[in-house]
């Protein structure tokens, strides 16, 4: 099956994970700058443990974007999902625009466009400016005004570059790990903080939609442009037959709770009950639900990495039954388990299983009837970078078996408009720092120029794209030839 001509073959990446130049161009600190400085931690080499390293330079995309866009063109991408950094555009407060920030993104997007790569911006990827955070960040309702000023400015000056936008990346991860827990900044460990932050994020998306439509009327954005939500639901699999109900509960919280507000303008009743139990009934204020209902988003971005095995939370695991400890949640009734038998894992203990992508996509399409795009799908691994060739067959295989499911979903009528993998080049990973590789292009973080080198998976994607999604092969000799003769032999300074 050939894909439509305008199918988007993209890669996704994110400002704080690759951009660097954190204090250049008039920028000030955000919560990720503060967090990585404060919690700096390097575990022993080779361990799959969390590394919290400096993001001051990272892959230095800020200075190297022209090189990167040359590589992206050579790779064949027709889209780049890129998060715009709020703090670069509003560095001091919600009023004064930092024109150097606008200019930077204007240059990046214009260069992408000149190379026939559609910029697909994400407006917020977990990185609140410090000036906002010290006033309460997403817990403070004032964030609605601050966010409005930010998105209106972005649409006005950069709106012309794209007809596909996303408001945010994974509100779920940001609020569960950053507000309910303390794994990510702003590390609040607070139920109240969580409730306020998630509701305000949802309202921010509705406000973004209002500004988006205004920008269309003002001629700043294409009238047919779409504004989406990006979410990372891992479809639930009941661990045992008797876990079916627990699995439904899980999906209600992890799919509907995070998607319904911005796609249907409602919250599942379980959230209202929870707010009541926690004494947080003032979080949703009069008028909020109408704001959500009247300003639903147009598109679903889906980050599919893995499914989630779900068991009742009173299930007693036998010794040795699980790969890693199970995970309980803030609500009772279910837990996520990681069975050892018959389940594949990455070296970072992430499940490898593409089989839930098709039924998950069918559910999302059936339930919301909004176009879908995979915005993240990728393999975090320790790449062997000791030799001249980086032969990441494991990544090529991972991507290939997942892309095959996207094609199946399209054949069965799911309206997938594109596929964007995670990620273009090696990055700073929130759970693995610079030791957890995700890129098709390697970055030598120890070299002064942050040298770029294509991996085998780069050739895999190049072939997939040039064959219009046909060539899924991930282990043949041609791929190696392609890397050696096609790529590395002509990979001069221009691409490094
Ligand atoms: C997604 C995030 O949740 O997962 C990315 O949007 C992140 O920012 C990716 O890099 C993979 O997670 P990790 O922690 O393995 O880098």
């Amino acid at each position: 099956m050939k894909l439509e001509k305008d199918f988007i073959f993209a890669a996704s990446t994110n400002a704080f994970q690759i951009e660097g130049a954190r204090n250049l161009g008039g920028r000030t600190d955000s919560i990720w700058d503060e967090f990585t400085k404060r919690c700096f931690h390097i575990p022993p080499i080779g361990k799959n443990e969390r590394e919290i390293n400096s993001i001051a330079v990272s892959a230095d995309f800020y200075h190297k974007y022209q090189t990167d866009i040359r590589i992206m063109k050579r790779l064949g991408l027709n889209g780049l999902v890129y998060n715009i950094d709020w703090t670069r555009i509003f560095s001091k407060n919600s009023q004064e625009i930092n024109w150097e920030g606008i200019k930077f993104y204007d240059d990046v997007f214009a260069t992408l466009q000149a190379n026939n790569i559609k910029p697909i911006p994400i407006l917020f990827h977990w990185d609140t400016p410090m000036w906002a955070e010290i006033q309460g960040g997403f817990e403070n309702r004032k964030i609605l005004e601050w966010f409005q000023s930010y998105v209106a400015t972005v649409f006005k000056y950069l709106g012309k570059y794209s007809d596909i936008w996303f408001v945010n990346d994974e509100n779920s991860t940001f609020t569960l790990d950053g507000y309910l827990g303390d794994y990510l900044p702003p590390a609040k460990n607070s139920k109240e903080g969580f409730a306020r932050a998630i509701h305000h994020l949802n309202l921010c998306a509705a406000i973004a939609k209002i500004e988006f439509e205004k920008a269309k009327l003002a001629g700043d954005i294409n009238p047919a442009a779409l504004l989406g939500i990006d979410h990372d639901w891992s479809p639930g699999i009941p661990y045992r037959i008797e876990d079916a109900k627990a699995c439904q509960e899980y999906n209600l919280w992890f799919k509907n709770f995070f998607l319904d507000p911005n796609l249907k303008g409602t919250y599942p009743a379980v959230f209202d009950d929870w707010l009541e139990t926690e004494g947080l009934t003032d979080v949703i204020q009069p008028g909020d639900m109408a704001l959500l209902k009247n300003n639903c988003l147009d598109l679903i971005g889906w980050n599919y990495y893995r499914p989630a095995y779900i068991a009742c939370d009173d299930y007693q695991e036998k010794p040795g039954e699980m790969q890693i400890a199970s995970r309980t949640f803030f609500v009772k009734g279910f837990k996520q388990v990681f069975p050892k038998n018959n389940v594949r894992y990455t070296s970072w203990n992430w499940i490898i299983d593409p089989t839930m992508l098709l039924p998950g996509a069918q559910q999302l399409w059936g339930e919301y009837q909004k176009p879908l795009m995979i915005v993240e799908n990728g393999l975090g691994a320790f790449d062997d970078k000791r030799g001249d060739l980086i032969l990441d067959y494991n990544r090529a295989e991972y991507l290939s078996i997942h892309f095959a499911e996207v094609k199946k979903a399209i054949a069965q009528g799911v309206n997938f408009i594109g596929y964007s993998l995670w990620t273009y080049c090696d990055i700073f990973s929130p759970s693995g720092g610079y030791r957890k590789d995700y890129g098709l292009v390697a970055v030598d973080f120890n070299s002064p120029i942050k040298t770029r080198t294509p991996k085998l998976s780069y050739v895999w994607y190049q072939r997939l794209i040039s064959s219009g999604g046909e060539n899924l092969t991930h282990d043949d000799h041609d791929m190696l030839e392609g890397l050696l003769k096609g790529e590395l032999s002509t990979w001069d300074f221009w691409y490094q």
Side-chain angles (χ1 to χ4, degrees):
M1 181 200 64
K2 268 254 183 222
L3 296 167
E4 296 287 329
K5 267 209 156 54
D6 56 357
F7 187 82
I8 300 164
F9 286 99
S12 301
T13 188
N14 170 27
F16 79 77
Q17 297 182 264
I18 66 163
E19 208 167 277
R22 302 296 277 180
N23 296 119
L24 297 183
R27 191 182 181 281
T28 59
D29 277 359
S30 66
I31 56 174
W32 271 91
D33 296 295
E34 177 71 15
F35 180 77
T36 47
K37 284 184 216 169
R38 201 182 276 234
C39 305
F40 187 84
H41 171 71
I42 310 289
I45 294 172
K47 292 247 185 253
N48 62 354
E49 289 171 17
R50 190 175 193 193
E51 169 188 316
I52 307 179
N53 209 328
S54 167
I55 54 172
V57 181
S58 187
D60 205 14
F61 181 75
Y62 189 79
H63 294 108
K64 297 202 58 147
Y65 72 86
Q66 299 199 18
T67 304
D68 283 320
I69 294 171
R70 280 196 285 276
I71 298 173
M72 289 172 196
K73 185 179 183 189
R74 189 173 159 132
L75 172 59
L77 298 185
N78 62 8
L80 176 74
V81 179
Y82 194 72
N83 152 250
I84 296 176
D85 176 8
W86 182 357
T87 317
R88 202 174 280 296
I89 293 186
F90 283 93
S91 302
K92 295 189 191 128
N93 53 47
S94 65
Q95 297 304 318
E96 288 168 73
I97 299 173
N98 176 30
W99 292 104
E100 278 189 80
I102 296 279
K103 178 164 185 331
F104 171 65
Y105 291 113
D106 192 70
D107 288 346
V108 172
F109 291 172
T111 312
L112 285 167
Q113 209 171 53
N115 287 284
N116 296 321
I117 302 169
K118 189 200 291 280
I120 303 176
I122 295 189
L123 294 161
F124 183 73
H125 188 141
W126 315 347
D127 204 7
T128 317
M130 271 314 284
W131 60 257
E133 189 57 41
I134 56 181
Q135 298 178 71
F138 276 90
E139 289 166 278
N140 184 346
R141 240 184 121 88
K142 281 234 180 265
I143 198 90
L144 307 186
E145 287 165 33
W146 306 333
F147 198 74
Q148 178 175 29
S149 153
Y150 162 58
V151 298
T153 303
V154 170
F155 294 151
K156 180 164 180 192
Y157 296 104
L158 303 168
K160 60 177 184 252
Y161 286 113
S162 190
D163 56 3
I164 301 180
W165 293 73
F166 290 96
V167 181
N168 40 38
D169 170 273
E170 301 186 7
N171 284 346
S172 50
T173 313
F174 180 51
T175 55
L176 292 170
D177 291 344
Y179 285 86
L180 196 60
D182 59 7
Y183 184 76
L184 300 180
K188 294 287 177 163
N189 248 326
S190 150
K191 284 185 184 172
E192 178 173 352
F194 165 70
R196 294 197 191 283
I198 187 62
H199 183 56
H200 294 155
L201 279 156
N202 293 331
L203 294 178
C204 280
I207 285 167
K209 176 69 169 153
I210 295 175
E211 295 303 322
F212 196 67
E213 295 306 318
K214 278 197 214 158
K216 286 183 183 175
L217 291 176
D220 295 328
I221 292 187
N222 178 334
L226 304 176
L227 180 65
I229 180 167
D230 181 35
H231 180 48
D232 64 322
W233 173 51
S234 299
I237 303 177
Y239 180 49
R240 306 160 304 160
I241 294 169
E242 53 271 47
D243 294 322
K245 197 165 164 290
C247 191
Q248 267 172 18
E249 280 284 298
Y250 159 84
N251 282 330
L252 189 62
W253 277 103
F254 281 81
K255 174 169 53 70
N256 298 83
F257 170 60
F258 288 106
L259 287 176
D260 289 5
N262 289 135
L263 296 175
K264 295 180 179 169
T266 55
Y267 280 108
V270 285
F271 183 53
D272 298 315
D273 299 344
W274 183 78
L275 288 176
E276 186 114 14
T277 318
E278 298 297 331
L280 295 169
T281 44
D282 68 326
V283 171
I284 302 178
Q285 297 196 0
D288 286 0
M289 295 316 294
L291 178 63
L292 292 175
K293 188 111 211 159
N294 296 331
N295 301 287
C296 288
L297 302 181
D298 314 310
L299 163 75
I300 303 176
W302 188 21
N303 299 357
Y304 181 98
Y305 286 90
R306 48 185 170 168
Y309 283 92
I310 301 298
C312 300
D313 57 358
D314 58 3
Y315 175 68
Q316 298 288 327
E317 298 148 31
K318 294 168 208 61
E321 185 183 355
M322 299 296 166
Q323 174 88 357
I324 50 173
S326 60
R327 203 178 148 199
T328 52
F329 296 103
F330 65 109
V331 283
K332 293 205 182 324
F334 56 88
K335 65 178 174 182
Q336 185 177 3
V337 295
F338 300 86
K340 214 175 220 166
N341 287 338
N342 306 318
V343 180
R344 281 178 76 192
Y345 288 88
T346 71
S347 48
W348 286 80
N349 285 321
W350 285 35
I351 291 174
I352 303 178
D353 180 357
T355 58
M356 291 304 285
L357 198 153
L358 170 63
Q362 285 171 323
Q363 262 190 60
L364 292 173
W365 171 239
E367 201 167 332
Y368 298 105
Q369 291 287 304
K370 309 262 180 178
L372 276 164
M373 174 166 173
I374 295 287
V375 166
E376 289 185 30
N377 170 236
L379 177 77
F382 290 101
D383 291 347
D384 186 350
K385 295 179 174 170
R386 287 169 300 182
D388 290 339
L389 302 180
I390 304 170
L391 301 179
D392 56 342
Y393 283 102
N394 52 350
R395 180 163 298 108
E397 189 231 4
Y398 175 96
L399 295 168
S400 181
I401 58 181
H402 285 82
F403 191 79
E405 300 301 307
V406 173
K407 283 175 64 177
K408 279 187 207 161
I410 295 172
Q412 299 198 21
V414 174
N415 184 8
F416 260 122
I417 63 165
Y419 170 83
S420 191
L421 53 76
W422 188 263
T423 172
Y424 155 69
C425 70
D426 290 338
I427 51 158
F428 167 80
S429 149
S431 68
Y434 297 114
R435 67 185 54 206
K436 193 175 187 185
D437 300 305
Y438 272 102
L440 304 183
V441 172
V443 175
D444 181 353
F445 291 105
N446 295 317
S447 90
I449 62 157
K450 311 293 168 204
T451 314
R452 273 67 167 148
T453 309
K455 305 179 190 172
L456 197 76
S457 57
Y458 166 102
V459 178
W460 171 82
Y461 202 33
Q462 192 178 48
R463 278 195 334 188
L464 182 86
I465 298 172
S466 66
S467 67
E470 292 284 279
N471 193 347
L472 286 166
T473 323
H474 52 80
D475 55 2
D476 63 342
H477 187 67
D478 281 358
M479 210 160 74
L480 187 56
E481 284 273 295
L483 181 62
L484 271 169
K485 295 205 178 132
E487 292 306 308
L488 290 174
S489 63
T490 53
W491 196 269
D492 54 22
F493 193 77
W494 190 243
Y495 297 104
Q496 288 172 15

